[in-house]
Amino acid sequence: HIFSLKSSKSMNTEKIFAELEGFAIYEPQLMQEYLYRHHLNDKNVLAYFTETQHGDNITQEGIVVPIIGVTADDYAFKILEKLPVNYKVISQGWVLQVVSGEIKVIGIGYLSDITMLTENRSLSFAVSNGWYHLIIVSYMDDVLGKTFGLNLIPTEEKPIFKGNIATDYGF
C-alpha cells in the first residue's frame, strides 16, 4: 500500500475539528518552501491564502487543498483505495504533490497562526512521494459519523487542476 496513517492513534478513533468551518489538506514541506520562497513571513498565512493570488497558486500547484463551508464540528478523515457507495458528495479535480512522504489535515482556522500547526491539532498520513489526482468524498461512516474520504490516484506528471473550492459537502 502506498498510504498509511502516520500518527500512532488509530484512524477509527481520530477526528479533527473544522476550525473556521473548514480544513486544509497540505504537504508540509512544500508549504514551508512556498512561504519561504515568496517571503510570506507573517504567521497569519490564512490571510495570504484568502486575500491574495497565493491561495490560487498553492491550490493549483498541489500544495494545499481547502475544504470550506462545513459545519463547525468533528470530522473523520480516511485515505480510501476505492470510493464508498454511500457517499453524499464527490469533489474531483484536485491536485496534490507529495515530496516529504506525508500529507497533513488541519482545521483551516489554524492557518491564521501557523505556530499553532502542531501534531496534536492535525492528522498525518504517510503517502508515497509523487503527483496525485485527489478525489474528496463526504459520507456518513457507520462508526465515525461525518467523514471525508481522500482517494489519491497516482499520476506520472502533474494533473490538470479542476477542483471547485465552492463544493457543498452536504454536512
Side-chain angles (χ1 to χ4, degrees), residues 40-94:
L40 304 178
N41 302 319
D42 188 333
K43 61 184 180 180
N44 182 359
V45 298
L46 186 60
Y48 293 130
F49 296 162
T50 58
E51 299 168 9
T52 71
Q53 185 64 33
H54 291 294
D56 290 342
N57 294 348
I58 61 162
T59 303
Q60 292 171 6
E61 290 180 26
I63 299 170
V64 178
V65 174
I67 295 175
I68 60 170
V70 296
T71 311
D73 202 352
D74 289 322
Y75 296 82
F77 278 80
K78 285 186 171 183
I79 299 287
L80 302 175
E81 291 188 24
K82 63 179 187 168
L83 300 180
V85 245
N86 63 333
Y87 69 81
K88 289 177 169 278
V89 175
I90 184 168
S91 182
Q92 300 188 56
W94 298 101

Side-chain angles (χ1 to χ4, degrees), residues 68-70 88-91 138 148 164-171:
I68 60 170
V70 296
K88 289 177 169 278
V89 175
I90 184 168
S91 182
S138 61
F148 285 102
N164 180 0
I165 195 161
T167 300
D168 178 349
Y169 288 94
F171 289 131

Side-chain angles (χ1 to χ4, degrees), residues 55-151:
D56 290 342
N57 294 348
I58 61 162
T59 303
Q60 292 171 6
E61 290 180 26
I63 299 170
V64 178
V65 174
I67 295 175
I68 60 170
V70 296
T71 311
D73 202 352
D74 289 322
Y75 296 82
F77 278 80
K78 285 186 171 183
I79 299 287
L80 302 175
E81 291 188 24
K82 63 179 187 168
L83 300 180
V85 245
N86 63 333
Y87 69 81
K88 289 177 169 278
V89 175
I90 184 168
S91 182
Q92 300 188 56
W94 298 101
V95 174
L96 195 60
Q97 182 183 20
V98 179
V99 298
S100 66
E102 74 174 335
I103 59 171
K104 292 183 175 278
V105 179
I106 189 96
I108 207 163
Y110 289 120
L111 292 179
S112 63
D113 180 357
I114 59 169
T115 63
M116 311 256 315
L117 296 181
T118 59
E119 288 300 318
N120 64 336
R121 290 195 174 107
S122 63
L123 300 178
S124 296
F125 296 93
V127 177
S128 296
N129 290 347
W131 284 105
Y132 294 90
H133 168 78
L134 171 63
I135 299 171
I136 305 169
V137 294
S138 61
Y139 64 101
M140 291 299 288
D141 184 275
D142 292 341
V143 175
L144 300 172
K146 297 175 181 176
T147 302
F148 285 102
L150 309 177
N151 180 234

